[in-house]
Amino acid sequence: MPPSKTRIRRRTLRQILGGVRRRARRAASAVRRTWRRSLQLQVITSTLVISVTVVAVLGVFLVQEINTSVLNGRKLSAANEATADRVAIAAALDAEPIEPPKQGEGGPAVAEGPLDAAVNSIIGTGENGWRKRYQLLVLNPTEPGQSRATGSVLPTDVPEDLRNRLLLKRDKGVLNDPLQGVYRLKFAPSAEPQLTLVVGAFIDDGYEIYHFFPLTDEESLLSIVRQVVVVVGIGLVLLLGAIASLVTRQVVTPVRLARQAAERLASGRLDERLKVRGEDDLARLATSFNEMAANLALKIHQLEELSQVQRQFVSDVSHELRTPLTTVRMAADLLYDAREDFEPMAARSAELMQAQLERFESMLADLLEISRYDAGAATLDLDSTDVRDVVLRAVADSEALAERHGTRFELRLPSEPCMVEIDSRRVERILRNLLFNAIEHGEGREIVVTVGADRDSAAVAVRDHGVGLKPGEEQMVFDRFWRADPSRARTIGGTGLGLAISREDAMLHGGWLQAWGSPGEGSQFRLTLPRTAGAELKGSPLSLVPPEVEMRRTWRGHITPVLSPVVGEGVFHAE
Amino acid sequence: MRSRRILASVMAASVMCGGSACSVISVGGPPEQVTPADAADSLSKPFQRMVATPPQKEWDAVRTVKGLQASMASFDDVEQKILREYLTPEAKRAWKPDGSVLVVEDNPTYQPVGDDIVQLEATQIAVIHDDGWYEPKREKLTLQFMVAKTPDGYRVARLRNGLMLLTAADVRRAYEPADIYFLGGSGSLDDPGALPVVDHVWLPINPTRSLAETIVDRLLEGPSESLEGAVSTAFEGISLDRITPGEESVVVYLEGRFKQDPPPAEALMKQLQWSLREVTKGRSIEVRLNGDTFYDSTPLVIGPKDNDGWPRPPESKVYFVQNGQLMWLGAKGAGLAVPGPVGQLGEEYKEPAIAPGPLAKGDPTEYVAALKSDGRSIWTNRLSPESQWQEAIKGTDLTPPSWNWNGTLWTVDRIDDHTSYVLRHDSANHEQPVTRVAAPELNGKRVTAFKVARDGTRVAAVVSDGGALSVMVGVIAGDRLDHFQTLLTTGETEEIKDLAWSDSEHLIALVGSSSGSTPTEIDISNGQLRQLAADKRITSISALNERLVAGTDGEDGGKVLELVQDKWVDTKVQAGTQSPTFPLD
């Protein structure tokens, strides 16, 4: 049954989310890595965090201070203006109207009432009237026709809480005691609400006087100040960041150069030196580094010379030993051939001497081989060869020994030929060594030899089910004369150089020789070779950890499969 | 040691910085141009307004009616919500404002008449029509308000439908007078000689619009009823979006499509500038149409002095008749004779009227019209030595001639005491017969004087309706005279000897009584009267803007007087003079 569209969509969505999550995780880890590795980034980030905090605190403080002083100034002047107006209105209302009716400008004759006269004098009505910045509302709900307003203010614009408080005061008999508050008022249905300072007071005879001072100018001023503070703050933080970047760059760049030089030195380029500029601490660091590098190079050179002398000595000794050994061997062969004529004790001695001489010869041969590698004289005789044949030959060579140990081989070879450009003599030697090693440590159990191949490489894995390797031994097995259990005697006459030579052979082919082992589960050695000589290996067609071990662990759920099998499991990778 | 030196340097720098150059407000520097903060914002005048108070429970009937009247004066309350709170539900349903407003003098008296009536007594002074026309109308006014006691206090149970009653003080608060200008003569937008005709209106203050916007809104609505049919406007089909003030110029944003194509820019500029000159105060006016420049690529900008010469004022020259010779007044009282037959009035012609040329295109000479001594015909002549008198109008009993700017000659023929015909003659076209102009509002009345105003639109007449004399002012609306309103009525013993226009808004009537002759200036925009200095000797007057001259008829044979600083001063012209007159009087 085909999956429904919903399921497809859900899966797709999940995949997308998964992809996003993976990318985010990757990006986060990249950032974390960059953060951990960059001293400059850490310094800049710290500077930015600290400066943002400082600038934010200072900015808030500054803006609050400016807010307070601007608003206080405005409130003070508003209170003064409101008081002056209130006094003028109260005085006008108290006074007797003494003005004669005046002839209006082109209009009806007007006897201006005291309230009109007072309000007119406040707002400056007339040709030269100067527009006031505030609006005035005089209310007298108890008398008809005694309420006035200027501008567009209405009685409904009076804030209710302000009026209620004023009413409370009036009920207590307190008049001429103004209250003020800041409100956001809308003076026309379609207008935008305006920030307004309202000053209100009750005076005698039921009059209420309200002043509406717009704070829009102050609001825009403070808004500009806030914007300026924010912009300057951001600029300051960026400037500090830039300064921190510049300063740390001055320090970090020489340190980074020193690190790169140290890395190059560590990789063997002993002639690496730092440039020394000036006399500051960094210059002295560079000088010390150069001295250290020079001393190190000198010591290494001395050690190399010593090593060379030692290798030459081993090589010379091996060569020199071969001539007398040949003579001794000839004499020993005679004695061995004539052992039946000797007394039993002498005959046994002749046999022992023959055996040890053979071992001595093998050891000398291995030593000479190792000397060739050390001297860099080892060369490959490449030929396109079917690996299966090489494996069969090595197995055939090992069968006698296997029989003696009661060990059986299981071969898992591909049906198709597996052609690889190799020096078959050396590869056969590697496999022989691996098989001998497996027989020796396999405790008579079955040895599985598997051959695998893909487009770029071919691999041979030799699996035994012996005692296995302890963690960390996977590396040491390739060391010269290393023995897992020093108390244990070599049963098949190994020289202790077989795996070391095998590793050298594998490296000479540009291949890998790797070991895996686990106590009680045996071990597996995998040889991986490129199909074409000189090509770089990117992977191996066979798993280093035997598949059955992998599956067993997956079932047990101990570890996540595939991705993390080798850490701490005794896997060694030798190239 | 080194750090100490650095510390000292830093401290020195701080002191220098804080103490001098970096002070909070910098001192010195060259003086700067001063720009007032609100220099650009003066398109409105500050105003106060009445705030309507809802009726209170504790108010008695009189205070409730007072509150009702006060709420009528609140122009915030456009929908009369608070006013309607004063009415009982029945009255609320019945009452609807009709747009016009009765204006009464301040402090009307309110008296309770019985339990449920409050009577208001006041002197009505005018009616403001819904188009802003302020029609002076002085009479006693008595209004009765029926009130009813309700649980919430008194309410007005019946209110005369449409009644809106304001006191003079209310009007001063709620209205702004404005002069709106239109073009004299209908359909003459392209005529460069079209004269400005002022329409004096009272505009209700709109708190959401500036005064300039209110004025232009009103300008675009067209003339008020008092000038209907008599003037034309360039703004047909146009509305106003807004006016934005600037320091140097005021930008008027118009919207719509002009009826005329191309738009009558010249007329528009004149009307706009003259109507806004009180509020623009010397700034130029830029006109934008539909958000764009007026013309395709260039803006229409009216300079502050572009139309100062509109209209061209007539020459301020006093003509008079001395022993039958037409003369004009020279320096220091010298009389200069007009040469030729035109100057020889003799006993045959009297009451000359002078019209400055050109009356028609290409005719630069001035014209004289004079009444034949028998009062039965009017003759005209060019003011040049060679020309001869020609009869222009013939009638039964004609009033002295009156010229109009456009070259027409006007008079009134009194057939009898109750029949007067207004006659018009086109001097530029002598062949055309005299036209009788309909004036329905003068029917049945005897006209004793008739003068056409210098704006070419308004006319003034002294009429007798049996008893008292009245001064009536109307307009020339095409082929008829219309919209007459009475501005002055004399008492039983008074007479109106003469009539003269000083400008298009002010008319001077010479009121004679037993105590002497008193020139009375009538402001035709609001009907206000102002009595000027009286003099027993004065028999005739003539005025031109600020100048006022009078002719006397004493034992010395007559003199020419001039009003200087509210005193009549002899012009030193030889005795024996009559009929002093300015051109176009």
Side-chain angles (χ1 to χ4, degrees), chain B residues 97-128:
Chain B
D98 71 355
S100 62
V101 170
L102 289 186
V103 185
V104 297
E105 283 187 346
D106 286 327
N107 304 320
T109 57
Y110 296 85
Q111 280 183 331
V113 179
D115 289 339
D116 55 358
I117 288 179
V118 173
Q119 183 167 297
L120 176 147
E121 288 180 5
T123 305
Q124 180 185 325
I125 48 180
V127 175
I128 300 178

Side-chain angles (χ1 to χ4, degrees), chain A residues 361-423:
Chain A
E361 273 182 339
S362 304
M363 199 176 286
L364 267 183
D366 284 353
L367 277 171
L368 280 170
E369 186 69 18
I370 275 283
S371 300
R372 270 199 290 280
Y373 278 113
D374 290 343
T379 54
L380 288 175
D381 183 12
L382 292 171
D383 193 13
S384 186
T385 311
D386 189 350
V387 172
R388 296 181 303 171
D389 295 344
V390 180
V391 170
L392 289 174
R393 278 203 299 275
V395 169
D397 289 348
S398 311
E399 265 179 349
L401 182 64
E403 275 178 20
R404 281 206 297 277
H405 283 75
T407 303
R408 201 169 55 81
F409 289 119
E410 184 189 336
L411 297 180
R412 296 175 186 172
L413 305 180
S415 55
E416 298 293 317
C418 182
M419 304 306 290
V420 186
E421 281 184 5
I422 49 171
D423 184 341

Side-chain angles (χ1 to χ4, degrees), chain B residues 191-192 358-364:
Chain B
D191 181 5
L359 295 179
K361 286 178 182 173
D363 184 1

Side-chain angles (χ1 to χ4, degrees), chain B residues 8-285:
Chain B
S9 320
V10 169
M11 282 184 69
S14 309
V15 168
M16 278 174 68
C17 192
S20 59
C22 299
S23 52
V24 176
I25 297 174
S26 59
V27 181
E32 296 169 357
Q33 180 72 38
V34 177
T35 310
D38 57 353
D41 186 17
S42 55
L43 289 183
S44 293
K45 290 178 184 173
F47 59 88
Q48 64 163 310
R49 56 201 163 80
M50 174 79 78
V51 176
T53 309
Q56 306 292 311
K57 199 173 178 180
E58 62 276 10
W59 284 357
D60 59 15
V62 168
R63 289 173 93 185
T64 304
V65 175
K66 279 184 179 176
L68 172 76
Q69 190 279 318
S71 67
M72 288 176 177
S74 169
F75 56 88
D76 284 339
D77 193 15
V78 181
E79 295 171 3
Q80 289 92 23
K81 280 183 187 163
I82 293 182
L83 189 152
R84 286 170 203 274
E85 286 184 35
Y86 282 88
L87 306 179
T88 58
E90 297 76 32
K92 223 180 276 186
R93 278 194 292 274
W95 182 83
K96 276 180 192 155
D98 71 355
S100 62
V101 170
L102 289 186
V103 185
V104 297
E105 283 187 346
D106 286 327
N107 304 320
T109 57
Y110 296 85
Q111 280 183 331
V113 179
D115 289 339
D116 55 358
I117 288 179
V118 173
Q119 183 167 297
L120 176 147
E121 288 180 5
T123 305
Q124 180 185 325
I125 48 180
V127 175
I128 300 178
H129 295 265
D130 57 354
D131 59 6
W133 174 29
Y134 184 93
E135 185 186 10
K137 197 175 267 185
R138 183 169 281 272
E139 59 191 25
K140 288 283 174 202
L141 182 73
T142 303
L143 289 172
Q144 288 193 333
F145 296 89
M146 186 175 284
V147 293
K149 179 87 174 161
T150 71
D152 295 325
Y154 280 97
R155 293 292 182 271
V156 175
R158 201 170 63 214
L159 184 62
R160 198 172 88 187
N161 197 20
L163 177 69
M164 285 295 276
L165 187 73
L166 299 188
T167 65
D170 294 337
V171 170
R172 299 290 301 181
R173 269 194 301 270
Y175 285 80
E176 189 68 42
D179 288 337
I180 312 281
Y181 286 85
F182 295 95
L183 299 163
S186 52
S188 57
L189 292 177
D190 298 327
D191 181 5
L195 298 176
V197 179
V198 64
D199 191 2
H200 190 82
V201 290
W202 284 70
L203 304 173
I205 288 173
N206 182 348
T208 61
R209 298 284 265 180
S210 69
L211 178 59
E213 287 170 333
T214 310
I215 288 173
V216 176
D217 279 337
R218 182 64 195 79
L219 171 67
L220 303 191
E221 281 174 24
S224 67
E225 194 186 333
S226 66
L227 288 175
E228 206 176 352
V231 292
S232 53
T233 177
F235 291 96
E236 283 182 308
I238 294 298
S239 62
L240 173 70
D241 177 24
R242 65 187 191 281
I243 297 179
T244 54
E247 285 179 22
E248 300 292 329
S249 66
V250 172
V251 186
V252 179
Y253 293 87
L254 298 179
E255 285 183 340
R257 195 180 173 84
F258 283 93
K259 273 195 173 177
Q260 259 186 276
D261 190 27
E266 193 69 27
L268 174 146
M269 287 163 71
K270 287 175 178 172
Q271 280 190 265
L272 207 53
Q273 191 189 25
W274 276 57
S275 300
L276 286 178
R277 59 184 174 176
E278 290 296 318
V279 284
T280 54
K281 289 176 182 165
R283 283 175 282 181
S284 58
I285 299 171

Side-chain angles (χ1 to χ4, degrees), chain A residues 70-87:
Chain A
V70 168
L71 280 182
N72 282 351
R74 183 72 185 117
K75 282 179 180 172
L76 191 64
S77 68
N80 289 339
E81 283 183 278
T83 305
D85 291 353
R86 203 171 53 251
V87 168

Side-chain angles (χ1 to χ4, degrees), chain A residues 182-482:
Chain A
V182 178
Y183 302 89
R184 203 168 275 284
L185 299 178
K186 206 172 171 181
F187 290 107
S190 58
E192 288 291 312
Q194 281 184 10
L195 198 66
T196 309
L197 172 68
V198 185
V199 183
F202 280 27
I203 59 172
D204 295 327
D205 302 327
Y207 282 95
E208 305 168 22
I209 299 175
Y210 299 96
H211 287 77
F212 296 78
F213 295 90
L215 295 180
T216 41
D217 286 354
E218 285 76 11
E219 193 180 21
S220 65
L221 168 74
L222 294 175
S223 169
I224 289 169
V225 166
R226 196 165 48 197
Q227 283 171 9
V228 168
V229 167
V230 168
V231 169
V232 168
I234 291 171
L236 197 63
V237 167
L238 292 179
L239 194 69
L240 284 172
I243 291 169
S245 167
L246 211 67
V247 171
T248 49
R249 202 174 151 192
Q250 283 183 344
V251 177
V252 166
T253 304
V255 172
R256 190 175 292 153
L257 288 174
R259 174 181 61 78
Q260 287 166 352
E263 281 172 1
R264 282 195 291 271
L265 196 68
S267 69
R269 291 170 60 183
L270 297 176
D271 53 348
E272 187 68 31
R273 295 292 181 275
L274 286 174
K275 283 183 185 170
V276 180
R277 287 197 190 113
E279 297 176 7
D280 57 12
D281 292 339
L282 291 168
R284 280 152 63 189
L285 171 68
T287 310
S288 305
F289 177 87
N290 288 346
E291 285 172 7
M292 180 192 76
N295 289 336
L296 212 56
L298 182 65
K299 286 286 175 200
I300 287 169
H301 184 65
Q302 288 172 349
L303 285 172
E304 272 180 350
E305 279 183 350
L306 190 61
S307 173
Q308 184 63 31
V309 168
Q310 284 176 340
R311 278 200 297 272
Q312 193 59 45
F313 176 74
V314 170
S315 176
D316 291 349
V317 165
S318 304
H319 273 288
E320 292 303 322
L321 282 176
R322 286 187 79 169
T323 311
L325 183 63
T326 307
T327 311
V328 172
R329 177 65 193 252
M330 287 168 64
D333 284 349
L334 284 174
L335 289 175
Y336 183 74
D337 290 344
R339 68 183 184 280
E340 291 176 356
D341 301 331
F342 299 158
E343 288 179 9
M345 283 296 287
R348 180 64 189 149
S349 297
E351 284 172 2
L352 283 173
M353 185 172 70
Q354 182 70 6
Q356 290 305 314
L357 271 174
E358 280 176 2
R359 194 167 168 222
F360 192 27
E361 273 182 339
S362 304
M363 199 176 286
L364 267 183
D366 284 353
L367 277 171
L368 280 170
E369 186 69 18
I370 275 283
S371 300
R372 270 199 290 280
Y373 278 113
D374 290 343
T379 54
L380 288 175
D381 183 12
L382 292 171
D383 193 13
S384 186
T385 311
D386 189 350
V387 172
R388 296 181 303 171
D389 295 344
V390 180
V391 170
L392 289 174
R393 278 203 299 275
V395 169
D397 289 348
S398 311
E399 265 179 349
L401 182 64
E403 275 178 20
R404 281 206 297 277
H405 283 75
T407 303
R408 201 169 55 81
F409 289 119
E410 184 189 336
L411 297 180
R412 296 175 186 172
L413 305 180
S415 55
E416 298 293 317
C418 182
M419 304 306 290
V420 186
E421 281 184 5
I422 49 171
D423 184 341
S424 53
R425 184 184 64 85
R426 289 182 190 275
V427 173
E428 195 179 324
R429 185 167 66 190
I430 296 170
L431 293 177
R432 215 166 32 237
N433 276 331
L434 296 181
L435 289 172
F436 283 0
N437 193 51
I439 293 165
E440 187 179 357
H441 299 288
E443 298 187 339
R445 295 196 186 98
E446 183 183 47
I447 293 172
V448 181
V449 180
T450 313
V451 175
D454 59 16
R455 199 185 59 183
D456 300 323
S457 59
V460 183
V462 178
R463 165 90 165 100
D464 68 66
H465 297 85
V467 290
L469 295 172
K470 292 173 192 161
E473 288 183 346
E474 306 82 12
Q475 187 181 4
M476 292 189 282
V477 290
F478 297 105
D479 289 351
R480 295 174 189 182
F481 302 111
W482 182 81

